[in-house]
Amino acid sequence: MKKRLLACPTALLTSLALAGCGLLPGEDGTSRTVTVWLMKGSASDEFLKRFTAAYERDNPGVRLDIVLQEWTGIGKKVTTALAGDDAPDVIEVGNTQVAQYAQTDLLYDLTLESVRDLGREEWIPGLAEPGSIDGGQYGIPWYAANRVVIYRKDLFEKAGVEEPPKTREQWLEDTEAINRTGAQGIYLAGQDWYTLSGFIWDEGGELAVEKDGRWVGALDTPAALKGMAFYEKLQSLGTAPKDADEENPPQAEVFAKGEIAQIIATPGAAAAVQAHNPALASRLGFFPIPGKTADEPGAVFTGGSVLVVPVHAGERAQAIDVVAALAGREWQTDLARTMNYVPNKTSLASVVEGEEGTAAMAAGAARGRATPNSPKWADVEADNPIKPYMTAVLRGEDPRTAARRASQRITDALG
């Protein structure tokens, strides 16, 4: 990874107070345009209008040009833009995509700003870790989302379960109690590998690890096998297919149609459930995925976005200021409440109190993780060996044998 180059001799001064080496924006009567690429659907039109109006008011001489991009095909588009001489000034990228862009040496290293101005020590780990490459911070956390348990309060009450479980063992016991009432305790598809990842991390395992500069699969370690063993126990308490993921069939639709007490999904799935069965609107609740002890919730995969600044950004200093604003308390609070996201800092979890689903998500995000920070991880997911591994174990194959086979396929993909 190339070392960062200081933009000018005054770079030791805060870049958030300057708009480059020279005049502040507007001092010479001209305006500067900061081009920001954001992904369609990440923020509402109303939020973007509020942010743009406030930022331009507080920064005379600066105009924001927010350009919405589609997720489909975005990888190639960002890579091309980074290599060009007229790159956007700020780009939103998926948190697990940073490594593939950072390997181009075309992302600006924001470590200094992260430590000095952006509250790096408070960032939720599932956004902070993917943005950190070879000791440099190239992605600034923007927003996150992760899975929780969506449950039927009425079916819990019928089984005598008075409150959501706080430990894995209690979770199993409560689910078994629900089954004894004739309802289905949980619907957990056999290939929900994001949920499995959390159980593996809880046990101290990994999906893949870096050894001597080379990434290798790690599903066959004792810790990872323990995570799969718990998944197998939980999955056996429902009748979900062992050879399909949560989208085949869509679990929200299955949950809406039957007497099913729980699914594991982002809180937004509740809207899909209610769309198929409006009568469930008042019966749904949320709780964080339980951990091994009651002291903290279980680990979860964190999805979300980070903000990056290209090396070739024409308005780099002002771009960093825009990132600081979007990642700061005021606009993080607004975005989280508007979009029901987890804010980027653990210290901001309280801003979503009162929103049961988002609050449960924020509690889990404190132990959030992301997929291995390899620039080739997308190649693993393209032909994901974790899914058939899970099906093989759930159908009775020796877990170690199946895990070794899947780990080798991960190693091959990352190598």
Side-chain angles (χ1 to χ4, degrees):
M1 189 64 60
K2 294 178 181 177
K3 300 295 184 182
R4 67 181 287 175
L5 300 177
L6 296 179
C8 56
T10 57
L12 291 178
L13 299 174
T14 174
S15 61
L16 305 184
L18 300 176
C21 302
L23 297 172
L24 292 169
E27 279 192 357
D28 60 353
T30 62
S31 64
R32 295 182 177 180
T33 298
V34 179
T35 302
V36 182
W37 281 12
L38 299 180
M39 301 309 300
K40 187 176 181 180
S42 287
S44 67
D45 291 342
E46 291 73 19
F47 172 88
L48 295 177
K49 288 177 183 177
R50 288 195 299 273
F51 176 76
T52 299
Y55 190 87
E56 292 180 349
R57 181 192 65 227
D58 295 340
N59 295 270
V62 176
R63 186 180 76 85
L64 295 185
D65 179 21
I66 296 179
V67 183
L68 298 184
Q69 304 288 343
E70 298 283 351
W71 282 110
T72 302
I74 192 60
K76 183 177 181 180
K77 190 168 187 177
V78 170
T79 300
T80 301
L82 291 176
D85 294 330
D86 58 346
D89 300 297
V90 179
I91 305 176
E92 174 195 351
V93 302
N95 62 325
T96 62
Q97 297 174 333
V98 183
Q100 74 180 80
Y101 300 134
Q103 73 171 344
T104 66
D105 291 325
L106 294 173
L107 294 186
Y108 187 66
D109 184 348
L110 295 162
T111 304
L112 177 62
E113 291 78 9
S114 301
V115 174
R116 185 189 58 202
D117 304 309
L118 300 177
R120 179 180 182 177
E121 69 282 355
E122 295 181 359
W123 288 341
I124 60 175
L127 292 182
E129 291 170 1
S132 179
I133 313 292
D134 296 336
Q137 190 71 41
Y138 294 88
I140 304 304
W142 192 28
Y143 68 83
N146 51 264
R147 287 160 177 75
V148 300
V149 182
I150 303 176
Y151 75 106
R152 290 263 307 260
K153 295 178 180 180
D154 56 328
L155 297 183
F156 269 54
E157 292 172 2
K158 184 178 178 181
V161 180
E162 298 179 355
E163 61 181 12
K166 297 247 184 350
T167 68
R168 280 189 186 180
E169 289 306 313
Q170 188 62 53
W171 194 14
L172 293 175
E173 292 176 14
D174 291 347
T175 304
E176 290 171 343
I178 294 167
N179 280 341
R180 289 194 292 270
T181 68
Q184 184 177 169
I186 191 167
Y187 182 92
L188 178 59
Q191 295 184 348
D192 186 351
W193 72 278
Y194 284 122
T195 295
L196 170 65
S197 299
F199 299 155
I200 289 174
W201 293 328
D202 268 343
E203 296 291 352
E206 300 288 346
L207 304 179
V209 295
E210 191 173 15
K211 293 182 178 180
D212 301 322
R214 179 170 177 260
W215 283 93
V216 297
L219 295 175
D220 54 343
T221 63
L225 288 167
K226 285 183 181 178
M228 183 64 219
F230 179 78
Y231 190 98
E232 186 176 11
K233 287 182 183 177
L234 187 64
Q235 203 273 340
S236 71
L237 299 178
T239 61
K242 293 177 169 58
D243 59 352
D245 62 23
E246 63 274 23
E247 295 300 327
N248 298 287
Q251 64 175 352
E253 296 181 17
V254 178
F255 184 61
K257 293 176 182 177
E259 291 287 289
I260 297 171
Q262 304 170 83
I263 57 172
I264 299 172
T266 58
V273 173
Q274 293 171 33
H276 286 90
N277 189 348
L280 294 181
S282 62
R283 304 177 192 175
L284 299 181
F286 310 83
F287 60 88
I289 293 175
K292 295 184 70 175
T293 69
D295 297 333
E296 56 186 8
V300 290
F301 168 76
T302 300
S305 286
V306 301
L307 301 171
V308 301
V309 175
V311 165
H312 294 153
E315 298 290 347
R316 182 189 297 167
Q318 203 65 48
I320 295 171
D321 190 59
V322 171
V323 170
L326 286 169
R329 182 181 184 87
E330 177 183 358
W331 293 103
Q332 279 292 295
T333 299
D334 191 323
L335 185 67
R337 291 174 176 171
T338 299
M339 303 299 295
N340 293 320
Y341 288 148
V342 176
N344 63 3
K345 295 183 177 72
T346 55
S347 59
L348 293 177
S350 61
V351 305
V352 293
E353 288 180 356
E355 294 291 336
E356 185 181 358
T358 311
M361 192 164 58
R367 298 202 63 232
R369 296 278 304 277
T371 50
N373 218 4
S374 163
K376 290 191 173 184
W377 183 256
D379 293 344
V380 175
E381 293 191 30
D383 186 23
N384 197 330
I386 305 174
K387 290 184 173 184
Y389 155 64
M390 297 171 72
T391 295
V393 174
L394 295 176
R395 286 179 169 173
E397 185 173 336
D398 175 64
R400 288 176 178 81
T401 300
R404 281 195 295 268
R405 184 169 62 244
S407 292
Q408 185 58 55
R409 287 185 57 193
I410 291 174
T411 300
D412 293 343
L414 297 181

